[in-house]
């Protein structure tokens, strides 16, 4: 049962922390890369793209190419117009027949967020696929610039990427040297799950200059129990919300009034839909999170 729960959690987190006709447009030959089927710069901009993740849709929107997206997956909801894009699957399964019928000239897939067997089928069919494969915060800028070259928006992509890197650098400098507070990040409540290692959420928290007592856990998203959290006496407890709504299952930490976070009412409720999505908007929510954490240093 525990393994089943963990599988569901990993799938959920992969979504957060947030296809095609064959060669309708001419691309240069596939080149060797760390990403499978990574195409060189296209000869002709793609006009019909299936973007297999919400953050990919948002990246294309950032460079002014949302009108090229003819298919996407569940949870693509930004900008508002993205809600009208036809759905061709979710994190668990892609509709291969629907993708083929859409007759796209390019698929942008999420390497760790789309079903690998479905992507393999699409590759075997000879479809043009490039991949989103972010590992570090700065990779957002790299991918925005990269994807923009496939839609004839390279200059726009460069500007958006430069702006992202500048803002990220400013945030890091703003909180560098700050007193570190011990936090507990309640990523998931049942079972109680937090963030650690090199996870997307942990990298964001590092910008805010915090101490995470669970950072060296074996998993990037370790399960912990309430007693372990109470023993660590966190100064701040972070409970992300979805669209501004609290999870009905979130832990009621007020039951442990001796914890510093409870004594000082040091609770922070970031918008997970913004914070966990790997786009430029995440920096806005991160800036707010760091500011709120900083207020408890006073």
């Amino acid at each position: 049962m525990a393994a089943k729960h963990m599988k569901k959690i990993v799938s959920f987190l992969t979504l957060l922390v947030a296809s095609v006709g064959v060669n309708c447009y001419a691309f240069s030959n596939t080149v060797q890369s760390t990403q499978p089927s990574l195409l060189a710069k296209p000869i002709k901009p793609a006009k019909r793209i299936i973007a297999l993740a919400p953050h990919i849709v948002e990246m294309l929107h950032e460079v002014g190419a949302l009108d090229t997206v003819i298919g996407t997956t569940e949870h693509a909801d930004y900008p508002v117009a993205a809600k009208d894009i036809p759905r061709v699957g979710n994190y668990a399964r892609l509709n291969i027949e629907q993708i083929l019928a859409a007759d796209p000239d390019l698929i942008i897939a999420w390497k760790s967020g789309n079903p690998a067997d479905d992507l393999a089928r699409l590759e075997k069919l000879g479809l043009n696929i490039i991949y989103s494969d972010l590992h570090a915060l700065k990779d957002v800028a790299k991918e925005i610039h990269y994807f923009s070259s496939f839609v004839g928006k390279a200059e726009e992509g460069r500007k958006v990427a430069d702006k992202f890197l500048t803002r990220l650098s400013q945030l890091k400098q703003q909180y560098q040297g700050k007193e570190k507070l011990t936090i507990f990040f309640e990523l998931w409540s049942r079972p109680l799950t937090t963030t650690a290692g090199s996870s997307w959420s942990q990298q964001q928290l590092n910008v805010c200059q915090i101490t995470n007592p669970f950072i060296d856990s074996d998993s990037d998203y370790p399960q912990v129990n309430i007693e372990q959290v109470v023993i660590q006496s966190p100064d701040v407890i972070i409970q992300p919300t979805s669209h501004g709504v609290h999870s009905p299952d979130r832990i009621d930490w007020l039951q442990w009034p001796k914890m510093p976070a409870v004594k000082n009412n040091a609770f922070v409720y970031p918008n997970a839909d913004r914070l966990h999505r790997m786009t430029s908007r995440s920096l806005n929510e991160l800036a707010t999170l760091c500011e709120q954490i900083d207020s408890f240093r006073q």
Side-chain angles (χ1 to χ4, degrees):
M1 182 64 71
K4 182 177 180 181
H5 280 309
M6 178 52 71
K7 184 176 181 181
K8 290 182 178 179
I9 292 168
V10 171
S11 297
F12 170 78
L13 297 174
T14 300
L15 281 174
L16 290 179
V17 219
S19 277
V20 283
V22 180
N23 299 323
C24 295
Y25 283 77
F27 290 88
S28 55
N29 293 332
T30 302
V31 297
Q32 293 298 316
S33 169
T34 55
Q35 295 183 344
S37 296
L38 184 63
L39 302 175
K41 185 177 179 181
I43 297 172
K44 190 173 183 179
K47 298 295 185 181
R48 298 177 59 80
I49 296 175
I50 288 186
L52 293 177
H55 74 273
I56 299 172
V57 172
E58 192 167 332
M59 285 181 175
L60 292 173
H61 163 67
E62 288 187 84
V63 300
L66 185 65
D67 60 341
T68 66
V69 183
I70 61 170
T72 187
T73 54
E74 292 179 7
H75 306 294
D77 58 3
Y78 188 88
V80 174
K83 297 178 181 180
D84 296 327
I85 300 172
R87 270 41 180 171
V88 297
N90 53 38
Y91 73 91
R93 187 57 56 206
L94 301 177
N95 189 324
I96 302 297
E97 291 72 22
Q98 186 180 356
I99 289 173
L100 292 172
D103 192 29
D105 47 51
L106 179 65
I107 300 172
I108 306 180
W110 188 7
K111 189 176 181 183
S112 61
N114 296 140
D117 56 339
D118 284 343
L119 294 178
R121 285 182 63 191
L122 292 172
E123 285 199 346
K124 287 182 179 180
L125 290 171
L127 304 176
N128 291 315
I129 306 178
I130 59 175
Y131 286 84
S132 172
D133 189 22
L134 303 99
H135 297 282
L137 299 182
K138 64 181 180 180
D139 289 346
V140 171
K142 180 180 67 177
E143 289 203 352
I144 289 174
H145 195 194
Y146 176 59
F147 295 155
S148 69
S149 69
F150 284 84
V151 292
K153 300 281 188 178
E155 182 59 23
E156 292 87 340
R158 182 191 63 78
K159 291 178 180 178
V160 174
D162 287 348
K163 184 178 180 180
F164 178 91
L165 291 175
T166 297
R167 183 80 189 284
L168 178 59
S169 178
Q170 290 172 341
L171 280 175
K172 289 180 177 180
Q173 291 177 12
Q174 181 177 351
Y175 293 98
Q176 187 176 9
K178 290 276 189 176
E179 171 195 0
K180 290 193 174 184
L181 298 180
T182 298
I183 64 93
F184 176 67
F185 195 94
E186 186 183 321
L187 187 61
W188 191 254
S189 305
R190 296 181 185 275
L192 187 56
T193 306
T194 189
T195 189
S198 59
S199 68
W200 179 260
S201 300
Q202 183 60 52
Q203 291 184 54
Q204 291 178 313
L205 291 172
N206 289 342
V207 174
C208 301
Q209 291 295 307
I210 56 84
T211 295
N212 178 0
F214 301 105
I215 192 170
D216 293 325
S217 300
D218 292 337
S219 166
D220 280 352
Y221 301 104
Q223 290 185 21
V224 297
N225 58 55
I226 291 176
E227 290 72 19
Q228 288 176 290
V229 178
V230 173
I231 289 173
Q232 294 299 332
S233 296
D235 300 301
V236 181
I237 292 176
I238 301 172
Q239 295 178 304
T241 63
S242 179
H243 299 289
V245 178
H246 291 287
S247 167
D249 295 326
R250 76 184 190 278
I251 304 299
D252 179 13
W253 296 105
L254 297 181
Q255 300 176 66
W256 294 274
K258 292 184 179 180
M259 283 198 301
V262 178
K263 285 182 181 179
N264 299 313
N265 195 29
F267 293 90
V268 181
Y269 309 105
N271 186 318
D273 305 286
R274 299 172 185 166
L275 188 67
H276 296 158
R277 189 165 294 180
M278 295 167 281
T279 65
S280 297
R281 275 197 313 150
S282 66
L283 289 188
N284 296 330
E285 195 67 17
L286 177 58
T288 299
L289 175 62
C290 289
E291 182 179 347
Q292 291 174 328
I293 291 174
D294 194 44
S295 69
F296 297 114
R297 292 189 172 101
Q298 309 306 320

